[in-house]
Amino acid sequence: MRPVSRRTALTMGGLGLATTVIGGTGLWRELTTPGAPGDPGGELVEPEVLASGGGRLDVQLQARVDTHEVAGRSATTMGYNGGVPGPTLRLRPGDLLRIELDNQLDHVTNLHVHGLHVTPEGDGDNVFVEVEPGASRQYEYQLPKDHPPGVYWYHPHHHGSVADQLFAGLYGAIVVEEDDPPAVDRERVLVVSDITLSQDGSVVGPSMPERMMGREGELLLLDGQVEPVLTARGGDRERWRVVNACSSRFVSLRLSGEGSSARVVGRDVGRLPTPVALEEIVLAPGNRMDVLVDLAEGRTELVAVPVDRGQMMGGMMGGAVGPEDSERVLASLDVRGGGGPSAGEAGDGGAGAAPGPDGLLADLRDAQVDRRRQLTMEMSMGGGMMGGGGRGPGGMMDLTIDGRSFDPDRVDQRVRLGTVEEWTIGNVGPMDHPFHLHVWPMQVLDVDGQAPEEVLWLDVVNVPAGGSVTVRVRFADFGGRTVYHCHILDHEDLGMMGTIEAE
Ligand code: C2O
Ligand code: CU
Ligand code: CU
């Protein structure tokens, strides 16, 4: 069992709980087999790349427990094909992606391709299926020919254990390429995640307050490594595909040091009409960004800046459980030789030019709205703090959307294919909730009354504590049933998820 941190201890004191709040259980202590690299301060090793050819990509992903070097010690984590992260899948619009998921875990799992615009039915991106331990399942995803380029990712989606399985190492990146990529000297896939390890290298689960808050790991990882080094050449332009694969942690990145500069040219789906400074972007759990970096000689650090995402029932709990509040070094850049930054001459390499606004990402600001809906995300005291009255484990709090906990057999929203809807998503409570809709991207119209200056498409949009967000969605195609939920995955597992059926 993990030593009780001061933060947790305070909360426990406030609650007067003596036992059962610390989660580190035997769940994680499983097999050990030889694994992959990842020592602190070592050269960044990116995940293996599996790229499509001739319009298809056929892969097998084995979910299993492996032993790796993490932060200088041997860690026993879950992973796909023995890697944390799993392999990067590179696709083109129109491709057929086939994944055979082989479940070598002791727990039920399944697979979700986050952000891909594909069918949620049958063998497609169906999050309702369960793959039993020892079983395997063949998934098939047919990407439309006009699928937006961007950085996507895959992870398990079995309700109740999504956060546990992600936190233990199950995630990987998906890149959908564009026809006219900007000219760069190097492209990297950078998956940010966090994890907590015990002395013996097993993954530590959260305490109940941490679960309510959304667990944040003690170690911050980049491609599964602690503070790796990125070696590069001065004057080079790099393209970074960044995924926030943390279960609950919000991430904002900046480059310290002089000379080098970075701007974001894409978020979640498609490209931004105009690049945005790196510092301005906050990645909620599940968000991605596509970044162009102009490197100047010298030593630079890639720093994760703390993000305030609210506190959990500060007053009531007698000692708030909050997110990490200090800066962390995610990686260091060792840039040598070459010239100065090339940004001046090279312009934005074409990456700032958004593709023609038609098809799936056509601007909906002036569209005719067929229907408006109001959704409310709520975190409230359930049937009592101490007794099992509430629906969440421990009966402490209810995490709901429209007052209801997730029920896979209920349909919460019925939408008509071919229509445009406007959803206003409210957040009643003291913590942010990043709202994620499967299959159909959302155009953000306003966040707390503030409209983005330009067309902004996301598949995870943060709904600030006590605030609201308005989005529009074109339910152009793909009938079937899928889900929307809070992407603080502990919240999703505790019930903050609903179902949507399009027909
Ligand atoms: Cu990234 Cu429903 O998930
Ligand atoms: Cu998703
Ligand atoms: Cu939430």
Side-chain angles (χ1 to χ4, degrees), residues 192-395:
V192 181
S193 63
D194 57 0
I195 195 167
T196 303
L197 297 173
S198 67
Q199 286 302 321
D200 70 0
S202 55
V203 180
V204 176
S207 65
M208 186 49 77
E210 285 170 329
R211 203 182 280 275
M212 292 291 175
M213 178 69 204
R215 71 187 79 182
E216 295 192 7
E218 289 174 357
L219 297 172
L220 194 52
L221 308 178
L222 192 66
D223 288 341
Q225 294 163 264
V226 176
E227 281 184 46
V229 178
L230 283 67
T231 306
R233 230 183 32 215
D236 274 3
R237 168 168 293 174
E238 297 197 353
R239 182 179 196 179
W240 295 353
R241 313 275 203 164
V242 182
V243 179
N244 181 3
C246 297
S247 305
S248 309
R249 182 190 287 260
F250 287 48
V251 178
S252 182
L253 302 180
R254 67 176 178 83
L255 291 174
S256 75
E258 276 140 47
S260 295
S261 65
R263 64 231 139 86
V264 177
V265 297
R267 296 178 64 182
D268 286 8
V269 279
R271 288 183 190 172
L272 296 175
T274 311
V276 177
L278 180 65
E279 308 72 58
E280 286 175 34
I281 304 295
V282 171
L283 299 180
N287 279 140
R288 292 86 59 206
M289 62 181 170
D290 195 341
V291 189
L292 289 185
V293 186
D294 288 300
L295 295 158
E297 181 158 18
R299 195 143 180 110
T300 302
E301 282 173 339
L302 180 62
V303 177
V305 184
V307 178
D308 178 12
R309 60 180 174 95
Q311 300 267 322
M312 186 181 70
M313 298 292 180
M316 283 158 128
M317 305 292 283
V321 175
E324 165 133 9
D325 58 2
S326 50
E327 279 197 7
R328 300 273 289 260
V329 175
L330 196 52
S332 54
L333 279 71
D334 186 6
V335 187
R336 297 184 197 200
S342 60
E345 318 122 46
D348 64 11
D358 46 313
L360 188 64
L361 302 186
D363 188 0
L364 297 178
R365 284 178 297 190
D366 294 323
Q368 187 204 313
V369 173
D370 298 294
R371 180 159 178 183
R372 290 186 160 79
R373 294 174 202 247
Q374 170 87 43
L375 283 78
T376 305
M377 307 173 89
E378 187 168 9
M379 183 172 191
S380 58
M381 300 311 281
M385 279 173 70
M386 310 302 300
R391 280 168 293 205

Side-chain angles (χ1 to χ4, degrees), residues 114-115 152 264 266-270 272 281-284 286-289 361 435-445 447 452 455-463 469 471-473:
H114 179 129
Y152 304 93
V264 177
R267 296 178 64 182
D268 286 8
V269 279
L272 296 175
I281 304 295
V282 171
L283 299 180
N287 279 140
R288 292 86 59 206
M289 62 181 170
L361 302 186
F435 182 88
H436 173 47
L437 173 63
H438 284 209
V439 182
W440 305 278
M442 302 176 281
Q443 183 178 357
V444 180
L445 288 206
V447 177
V455 176
L456 176 62
W457 288 93
L458 296 174
D459 55 47
V460 178
V461 53
N462 186 45
V463 188
V469 160
V471 298
R472 285 188 181 173
V473 183

